[in-house]
Amino acid sequence: MKIIVNGVEHELAAATLAAALKTLEYENATVATALNGHFVPARKREEAKLAEGDRIEIVAPRQGG
Amino acid sequence: MRLYDVEVASRLLLGTAQYPSPAILAEAVRASGAEIVTVSLRRESGRLREGQDFWSLIRELGVRVLPNTAGCHSVKEAVTTAQMAREIFATDWIKLEVIGEADTLQPDVFGLVEAARILSEDGFSVFPYMTEDLVVAERLMEAGCKVLMPWGAPIGSGKGLNNLFGLRALRAHFPDVPLIVDAGIGLPSHASAAMELGYDAILLNTAVAKAGDPASMARAFALAIEAGRAAYLARPMEPRDMAAPSTPVLGKPSLAG
């Protein structure tokens, strides 16, 4: 199904946010996630089911002022 | 200086953006003596992993991080960003920015107060990036903020303290609240001036990152902030309009002829 990851469309078979992170190779990275604009804590990623057209944001530490 | 429940010795908080290289960033942080650096959250690419390298560098520096919500224009974006930051950086501290205007990057103070309330109730220690408005400051305190961060001038402008009167009034109205000038500082003299007004600390980034020699400039800011603080504690003289001779007049020989 089509999932938007960080603004880019992906074709993913993953059923959950946790599975999507694994497919996209973020498994061991320090990242935080949001699904359709809502924060999803790491411990809830297994329960976060994905549906066609969902928007995932995956962020990491970056330089800031 | 106490910021929420943390005792901090250095009164310089340094941003980590816009340095020529990670090595120069590290050198500047060390030279500044800063114990707190600001960081952000941005989209991570699965392949490039830029964020992972940056995070390793910051952890090696052994400093406390103050994550920001830079670039957020709505309460919802800022709150969600803060929640993500808390998980990644394992800190309740958040430099809350809710931007209201694109050219000046001035805060949307209405959204700021609302976001500050939501986050404070959720256990965050909020460092609000605000204008020097007294009423906004009052509302932020009511919302749960225990530190206030008025701008000196627009972010990245390097213009220094645009509203000395307003900053002085804010200091006078909130004598016991830690006040940090955040944004607009261009020169060590600007930072020193803010400290002489009785401000508790300075948060800056561009003035160091964009200097020809960031590490030397970081050191210059550290010295200026220390000097300004010492001057404030020493209670400066009152200025006056007319000259007053410093050398005694009494006892001057009569030599005019």
Side-chain angles (χ1 to χ4, degrees):
Chain A
M1 64 192 152
K2 284 195 178 63
I3 303 287
I4 316 293
V5 181
N6 285 349
V8 178
E9 200 173 287
H10 285 253
E11 190 61 41
L12 292 179
T16 65
L17 181 55
L21 287 178
K22 193 171 177 182
T23 307
L24 296 164
E25 300 175 18
Y26 287 99
E27 244 183 324
N28 302 313
T30 302
V31 293
T33 50
L35 179 57
N36 297 323
H38 298 283
F39 170 56
V40 180
R43 64 178 191 285
K44 299 268 190 185
R45 286 176 194 154
E46 292 281 355
E47 304 162 27
K49 299 268 189 292
L50 297 182
E52 178 83 18
D54 274 354
R55 291 174 297 114
I56 300 175
E57 291 289 338
I58 304 169
V59 298
R62 201 59 57 85
Q63 295 82 352
Chain B
M1 173 177 64
R2 202 168 181 79
L3 301 174
Y4 286 89
D5 53 354
V6 176
E7 196 63 37
V8 184
S10 170
R11 292 173 181 272
L12 170 55
L13 290 75
L14 195 61
T16 56
Q18 300 182 310
Y19 291 83
S21 71
I24 293 175
L25 160 63
E27 202 189 334
V29 171
R30 288 194 193 99
S32 73
E35 294 164 50
I36 299 167
V37 299
T38 51
V39 292
S40 74
L41 285 180
R42 288 293 178 261
R43 284 172 168 173
E44 181 76 327
S45 152
R47 291 197 184 78
L48 291 175
R49 300 288 177 92
E50 286 174 74
Q52 312 305 308
D53 293 342
F54 171 70
W55 187 220
S56 302
L57 174 74
I58 295 300
R59 275 182 301 182
E60 281 166 23
L61 288 169
V63 287
R64 184 176 291 274
V65 295
L66 174 57
N68 68 26
T69 63
C72 291
H73 286 254
S74 70
V75 172
K76 182 176 175 294
E77 274 182 293
V79 168
T80 304
T81 302
Q83 291 166 334
M84 292 197 286
R86 177 160 65 179
E87 180 177 272
I88 280 203
F89 297 111
T91 175
D92 291 332
W93 284 16
I94 191 77
K95 172 181 161 178
L96 183 59
E97 294 183 38
V98 182
I99 300 300
E101 211 281 322
D103 290 327
T104 59
L105 293 179
Q106 72 188 82
D108 165 2
V109 295
F110 306 97
L112 181 69
V113 170
E114 192 185 334
R117 178 168 294 115
I118 293 168
L119 292 171
S120 296
E121 282 170 4
D122 191 19
F124 282 88
S125 299
V126 178
F127 293 65
Y129 163 63
M130 56 180 285
T131 55
E132 68 281 10
D133 190 292
L134 295 181
V135 183
V136 169
E138 193 65 59
R139 295 288 184 274
L140 286 166
M141 300 291 295
E142 287 166 13
C145 297
K146 293 185 171 65
V147 173
L148 298 174
M149 301 208 298
W151 65 349
I155 295 171
S157 69
K159 289 203 172 289
L161 308 179
N162 262 355
N163 182 2
L164 268 179
F165 167 79
L167 289 170
R168 195 179 286 128
L170 189 69
R171 178 70 286 177
H173 273 70
F174 299 95
D176 302 321
V177 179
L179 297 181
I180 302 173
V181 169
D182 172 17
I185 298 293
L187 290 166
S189 54
H190 300 152
S192 194
M195 296 305 291
E196 287 165 13
L197 288 180
Y199 274 74
D200 294 280
I202 308 292
L203 199 171
L204 59 91
N205 185 348
T206 312
V208 165
K210 291 294 187 189
D213 179 348
S216 296
M217 189 58 86
R219 175 79 183 130
F221 269 105
L223 293 169
I225 288 166
E226 207 179 312
R229 177 67 184 173
Y232 169 71
L233 293 175
R235 298 187 302 278
M237 64 168 279
E238 285 298 321
R240 46 182 290 161
D241 287 337
M242 294 298 153
S246 45
T247 304
V249 175
L250 196 70
K252 181 187 174 296
S254 177
L255 303 171

